[in-house]
Amino acid sequence: MESIFHEKQEGSLCAQHCLNNLLQGEYFSPVELSSIAHQLDEEERMRMAEGGVTSEDYRTFLQPSGNMDDSGFFSIQVISNALKVWGLELILFNSPEYQRLRIDPINERSFICNYKEHWFTVRKLGKQWFNLNSLLTGPELISDTYLALFLAQLQQEGYSIFVVKGDLPDCEADQLLQMIRVQQMHRPKLIGEELAQLKEQRVQKTDLEQAVEINDGSGVLDEDEEDLQRALALSRQQIDMEDEEADLRRAIQLSMQGSSRNTSQDIPQTSSTQLTSEELRKRREAYFEKQQQQQQDPPGQLSHPCETPTTSPEALGSDLGGMSEEDMLQAAVTMSLETVRNNFITEEKK
C-alpha cells in the first residue's frame, strides 16, 4: 500500500488530486490547470463573439469563468482537456452509448467520479481495485465482487461516473501489485472522521488526566486524614494515661490518709522533729528489716508478739522523703497492708 500514490485533500483542489491519483504522480499543479481553464474560457469567448459582442449571450458569458473559481474548483472540461495530453478520453458511464457495449466494470482500468464539485478516482492497480478518494486517509481496497455494487451505490447517491479510456502511464504501484496482492485489515477513514476521532481521543485523554489528578489529590487527602486520626488517637491515649495517673495519685493520698487515722487511735504520734540524713538512713534500714521479718513469719503470727509495730505516718513520711514516686507507691501499699494486719491482730486479742 505504501507504493500507491495518494494525494490527500487540500482546500478545494480535488480535481488536481483526482488527476494525480489517476496518473500516480504529481503531474498537474493548480497553475497548469488554471492555464487550461483560461484557454478554454478564451476559446468559448471567441465562439460567443461570432454572434456579436453586443448580444445578450456574449455579455452573459463575460461573467466569471465557469471552468474554474478562486476556491480551486475545475470543471469537467478542464479535466478532460488535461487527460487529452496523455491520450486519455472520458466517457459517461451511464450513457446509452456505453451501456450498449455491456462492458463489465472489472474489465476497465479506471473511473472518475464527481458529485457537487468533488472529484475522485477509482483505479485498478495490478489485479486489484482501489478507491483513491482524496478525502480518505489512504487508499481503500475494493474487491472485484464489490466494484459493481460500489459504482451503483455512487450513482444512486447522485454521482456522475466517467470511464477513462486509453493507456495510463506506467507506475511503480501497478508493476509491484502485478506480482503480489495486498490485504487491508482496516478501512481508511474520512479525513473529517479521523480529525474528529483525534479530537475525541484528546478529550478522553484530558478527562483521564483530570481523573488521575483527582484520584492523586484524594489519595493525599486520605493520607492526611490518616495522620490526623493517628494524632487524635495518640492524644486520647495520652489523656487516658494522665487520667489514670491522677486517679492513682488520689488513691495513694486517700490510702495514706486512712492509715493515718487508724494508727493515730492506738499509737501516739511522734514529734515532727527534723531528722539528720544518718538517722533517716537508719530508720529506713530498720523499716525494711522489719518488712523482711514479717514476710518470713507464718500468716497470723508476729516474730515479737509482745511488741506492737510502731510505724507512724510521721515516721513513714520521714522515710519516704528521699524516695521516688514508684517507691512511694510501694510504701503506701505496704503501709495499708500493715494497717489491716494490725487491726486484725487487735481484734483477735480482744
Side-chain angles (χ1 to χ4, degrees):
M1 300 286 278
E2 291 79 7
S3 62
I4 300 176
F5 181 86
H6 180 252
E7 273 188 0
K8 297 180 181 179
Q9 187 73 21
E10 293 183 6
S12 299
L13 298 175
C14 53
Q16 171 195 322
H17 305 321
C18 174
L19 290 170
N20 289 338
N21 289 340
L22 172 68
L23 301 174
Q24 285 293 286
E26 297 180 358
Y27 290 95
F28 291 100
S29 67
V31 175
E32 294 170 335
L33 295 179
S34 297
S35 177
I36 296 174
H38 286 305
Q39 184 180 354
L40 289 172
D41 289 342
E42 185 63 23
E43 292 175 357
E44 292 174 0
R45 187 189 66 78
M46 292 177 63
R47 286 195 297 271
M48 294 298 296
E50 293 176 357
V53 295
T54 59
S55 65
E56 185 68 23
D57 293 339
Y58 184 79
R59 286 196 298 268
T60 303
F61 175 76
L62 292 179
Q63 299 298 321
S65 171
N67 292 303
M68 62 171 293
D69 60 22
D70 295 337
S71 67
F73 167 76
F74 296 98
S75 65
I76 181 61
Q77 289 79 13
V78 174
I79 293 176
S80 179
N81 279 31
L83 291 176
K84 287 179 180 179
V85 177
W86 295 92
L88 301 173
E89 181 185 2
L90 294 179
I91 301 177
L92 191 62
F93 178 70
N94 59 351
S95 64
E97 295 79 9
Y98 184 78
Q99 292 298 323
R100 282 196 296 267
L101 298 176
R102 296 182 181 278
I103 300 176
D104 192 337
I106 63 174
N107 294 325
E108 298 292 352
R109 294 292 300 170
S110 58
F111 300 91
I112 288 180
C113 307
N114 170 255
Y115 178 68
K116 293 184 178 180
E117 300 184 352
H118 179 66
W119 300 91
F120 71 91
T121 294
V122 178
R123 174 174 172 170
K124 191 174 188 179
L125 293 168
K127 300 177 182 179
Q128 295 173 286
W129 284 90
F130 295 91
N131 178 7
L132 302 178
N133 194 336
S134 58
L135 292 177
L136 294 175
T137 57
E140 179 185 15
L141 180 62
I142 301 176
S143 64
D144 291 347
T145 55
Y146 180 65
L147 177 63
L149 180 61
F150 178 72
L151 295 176
Q153 181 180 355
L154 291 179
Q155 284 183 307
Q156 187 176 2
E157 293 175 358
Y159 276 84
S160 298
I161 302 175
F162 300 89
V163 182
V164 180
K165 289 293 186 178
D167 295 329
L168 295 169
D170 293 334
C171 63
E172 179 185 357
D174 186 55
Q175 295 174 359
L176 182 61
L177 294 175
Q178 289 287 349
M179 297 180 292
I180 60 174
R181 297 179 66 89
V182 298
Q183 294 182 350
Q184 192 169 41
M185 303 301 297
H186 302 285
R187 175 188 174 276
K189 296 180 175 60
L190 292 172
I191 293 178
E193 292 178 353
E194 184 183 37
L195 294 176
Q197 185 176 7
L198 291 175
K199 183 178 180 180
E200 183 179 358
Q201 291 176 353
R202 286 195 294 268
V203 171
Q204 292 177 352
K205 182 178 180 181
T206 303
D207 294 341
L208 179 61
E209 290 175 351
Q210 292 177 353
V212 170
E213 291 177 358
I214 292 174
N215 291 333
D216 291 342
S218 64
V220 173
L221 292 176
D222 291 340
E223 292 178 0
D224 293 341
E225 186 175 357
E226 290 178 0
D227 293 339
L228 178 60
Q229 293 295 334
R230 277 197 297 269
L232 292 175
L234 291 174
S235 177
R236 286 194 296 267
Q237 184 178 1
Q238 185 175 1
I239 292 173
D240 293 341
M241 292 177 63
E242 291 176 354
D243 292 341
E244 291 179 359
E245 186 176 353
D247 293 339
L248 181 60
R249 288 176 178 173
R250 284 195 296 271
I252 294 173
Q253 184 177 4
L254 291 174
S255 176
M256 293 179 67
Q257 291 176 356
S259 61
S260 176
R261 286 194 298 269
N262 293 333
T263 54
S264 61
Q265 296 176 0
D266 301 326
I267 304 172
Q269 296 182 353
T270 60
S271 61
S272 57
T273 57
Q274 187 70 24
L275 300 177
T276 63
S277 59
E278 182 64 23
E279 292 175 343
L280 182 60
R281 184 182 64 78
K282 290 180 178 180
R283 288 196 177 189
R284 285 178 183 169
E285 291 178 356
Y287 171 76
F288 286 114
E289 288 178 359
K290 189 179 296 184
Q291 288 292 112
Q292 292 177 359
Q293 187 175 3
Q294 290 176 354
Q295 291 176 0
Q296 292 174 0
D297 292 338
Q301 291 185 356
L302 294 176
S303 57
H304 303 282
C306 59
E307 295 181 2
T308 303
T310 58
T311 307
S312 66
E314 292 181 1
L316 285 177
S318 300
D319 291 341
L320 298 176
M323 301 174 68
S324 64
E325 185 175 334
E326 185 177 357
D327 294 338
M328 291 174 64
L329 175 61
Q330 182 65 32
V333 172
T334 304
M335 184 177 64
S336 299
L337 294 175
E338 284 292 324
T339 302
V340 173
R341 176 178 288 184
N342 291 336
N343 292 338
F344 179 76
I345 295 173
T346 302
E347 291 295 328
E348 286 289 325
K349 289 181 177 180
K350 291 180 180 180

